[in-house]
Amino acid sequence: RKYNPKDKYWAFPAIHLSAFLELCSQHGVSYKLDSDVTKALELGQETKQNLKNLQAASDTEIYLPTRTIPYSYQRVGISFIQEALRGFGGFLLASDMGTGKTFQALSIMALNSKHWQDVLVICPNSLKYVWAAQIDEHYPQLTYGVIGGDTHTRKEQWDSKKYIKIVNYELLLRDTEPLLQDWDLLVFDESPRLKEFSTKTYKAARKLKANYRLALSGMPLENSLGDVYSVFNLLIPGAMGTPHYFRQRYCELDRWGSVIEYIRINEFAERARPFYLRHTKAEVLPELPPKTYTDVWLELSPAEWKLYSATQAQLKEIIAANPDLKAQNLLVLLLRLQQITSDARLVVPGS
């Protein structure tokens, strides 16, 4: 914030308006808002009401340019995300794993493909080609590129004209220059990776510029209320108050300023309600198809059987010679047999 001594007023970023109004209300301070600010607040209230209506809905109509038929809760989710991004610019989809979060995020990209040009998906390295496969399955009309390889290869990939670029979190710290463009949408998959605001990855993510931000999480942010605040402050800066306000309102501090515990958790949850959506598997189970189990039997090669039998005999000798072996020691020995059935190179490198 800055003070103007000539005209005698304080100026502060607009993202802190909600926290400012709340503090004024708490301390009985009067204020006056101009027409633009009033309209923005009215839009926020309208969006919150629309989202409240969607939360209560069991289904909603929405056209998607795909052959995939979404479940009713997914249609509600897509509509919810679209409305939240329009009103707040950021959103957290925190539904259980296996409920189609990736499909819902891709649907948002497809619905806005005529207006957006650059979308960046940031995910763990193991999920990059999962995203690619999901695009091919549900929205093959969307162009995409998976960023990876050496520096020269990645530069060519960044320069390509693809609607969606998919990158792993580690590259946020390496490919800083191509990431600093203005993005239409940022998607943070497995957002618990960003729960700690002091990490280099979190700080790199904060530097990215985008009109809209969407985070996906298949599990609750498990460590603390501070972790949840960090993710929301990345998605919608200021929506949950400034960092100073958060510590003052929701943290019990010791004499040195360290957090002892979090307080007013229910108040925080109510305040965050418009900014996230969570469907559990228990809630949507009636809509989901039954699980399909397929057992595939893989026969070991003669060389693998020979190694397995020799190792099995060796372990039997060790157990016979040491009758007082503890359970944890037995499990370590049995792990060798399991490793051989997976890949013999785990036990004998180069085999």
Side-chain angles (χ1 to χ4, degrees):
R1 61 184 181 178
K2 294 181 181 179
Y3 182 69
N4 186 316
K6 181 179 179 181
D7 297 322
K8 298 182 180 180
Y9 68 84
W10 285 95
F12 59 86
I15 60 173
H16 302 318
L17 178 60
S18 296
F20 169 76
L21 296 181
E22 191 162 339
L23 285 172
C24 287
S25 177
Q26 290 174 8
H27 297 285
V29 177
S30 61
Y31 56 85
K32 184 178 180 180
L33 305 176
D34 65 23
S35 58
D36 289 339
V37 175
T38 302
K39 287 179 181 178
L41 288 174
E42 289 174 351
L43 175 61
Q45 292 301 320
E46 178 187 342
T47 301
K48 287 182 180 180
Q49 185 58 49
N50 291 341
L51 293 176
K52 189 175 181 180
N53 295 338
L54 280 170
Q55 277 184 326
S58 58
D59 200 354
T60 186
E61 291 186 10
I62 186 171
Y63 168 75
L64 298 175
T66 177
R67 294 182 178 180
T68 302
I69 301 175
Y71 298 107
S72 61
Y73 75 87
Q74 291 176 331
R75 288 192 289 270
V76 171
I78 294 164
S79 300
F80 201 102
I81 297 169
Q82 185 85 326
E83 180 70 17
L85 291 180
R86 181 188 71 85
F88 306 127
F91 189 71
L92 170 63
L93 181 59
S95 298
D96 278 352
M97 291 182 286
T99 54
K101 294 186 297 298
T102 302
F103 170 71
Q104 292 174 66
L106 290 174
S107 297
I108 294 297
M109 301 175 202
L111 288 172
N112 294 280
S113 59
K114 292 182 179 179
H115 311 292
W116 294 349
Q117 294 182 339
D118 296 293
V119 173
L120 181 65
V121 174
I122 307 168
C123 63
N125 194 51
S126 60
L127 296 182
K128 289 196 294 188
Y129 289 97
V130 173
W131 274 88
Q134 289 283 299
I135 296 172
D136 290 336
E137 179 180 354
H138 301 299
Y139 294 102
Q141 70 272 30
L142 302 181
T143 61
Y144 69 88
V146 178
I147 309 298
D150 58 34
T151 304
H152 178 72
T153 302
R154 296 201 307 272
K155 186 178 185 308
E156 292 181 343
Q157 293 166 343
W158 283 117
D159 291 339
S160 66
K161 300 298 181 182
K162 303 292 186 182
Y163 177 47
I164 305 169
K165 290 186 173 69
I166 306 168
V167 65
N168 53 295
Y169 279 102
E170 289 77 10
L171 291 183
L172 290 181
L173 304 178
R174 300 178 197 169
D175 296 356
T176 54
E177 186 176 340
L179 285 165
L180 292 180
Q181 70 175 77
D182 292 331
W183 300 94
D184 292 300
L185 174 69
L186 289 176
V187 178
F188 300 100
D189 195 7
E190 298 296 334
S191 59
R193 291 282 295 267
L194 298 167
K195 66 185 181 182
E196 180 51 65
F197 68 88
S198 62
T199 63
K200 292 181 180 179
T201 302
Y202 184 91
K203 292 175 181 178
R206 280 295 299 263
K207 292 180 181 179
L208 300 178
K209 299 177 181 179
N211 296 324
Y212 305 101
R213 296 165 182 252
L214 174 63
L216 309 179
S217 174
M219 64 183 70
L221 299 173
E222 66 277 6
N223 286 350
S224 69
L225 200 66
D227 297 341
V228 184
Y229 173 79
S230 294
V231 173
F232 278 127
N233 204 41
L234 173 66
L235 297 175
I236 321 168
M240 302 302 294
T242 64
H244 175 73
Y245 174 81
F246 172 77
R247 286 174 59 83
Q248 197 175 51
R249 182 69 180 169
Y250 300 108
C251 301
E252 186 76 35
L253 306 176
D254 62 19
R255 59 187 295 185
W256 297 281
S258 299
V259 177
I260 302 173
E261 63 177 338
Y262 294 99
I263 57 178
R264 301 185 179 94
I265 295 175
N266 290 338
E267 175 188 310
F268 182 93
E270 185 62 30
R271 184 171 180 171
R273 193 173 301 279
F275 310 128
Y276 79 96
L277 181 66
R278 177 168 174 79
H279 283 126
T280 65
K281 276 191 174 180
E283 293 171 342
V284 303
L285 195 60
E287 294 189 48
L288 298 177
K291 284 186 178 180
T292 301
Y293 295 93
T294 304
D295 294 326
V296 179
W297 295 90
L298 301 176
E299 184 67 25
L300 296 180
S301 68
E304 288 172 329
W305 268 119
K306 183 177 180 180
L307 177 61
Y308 184 91
S309 299
T311 305
Q312 187 180 51
Q314 183 183 18
L315 296 184
K316 286 181 178 180
E317 291 177 5
I318 294 174
I319 294 171
N322 299 275
D324 296 328
L325 276 177
K326 294 182 179 180
Q328 61 188 34
N329 300 116
L330 291 172
L331 290 174
V332 171
L333 295 175
L334 291 172
L335 178 61
R336 294 186 195 173
L337 294 177
Q338 184 183 23
Q339 289 174 324
I340 293 171
T341 61
S342 298
D343 190 329
R345 289 171 295 183
L346 295 172
V347 177
V348 183
S351 62

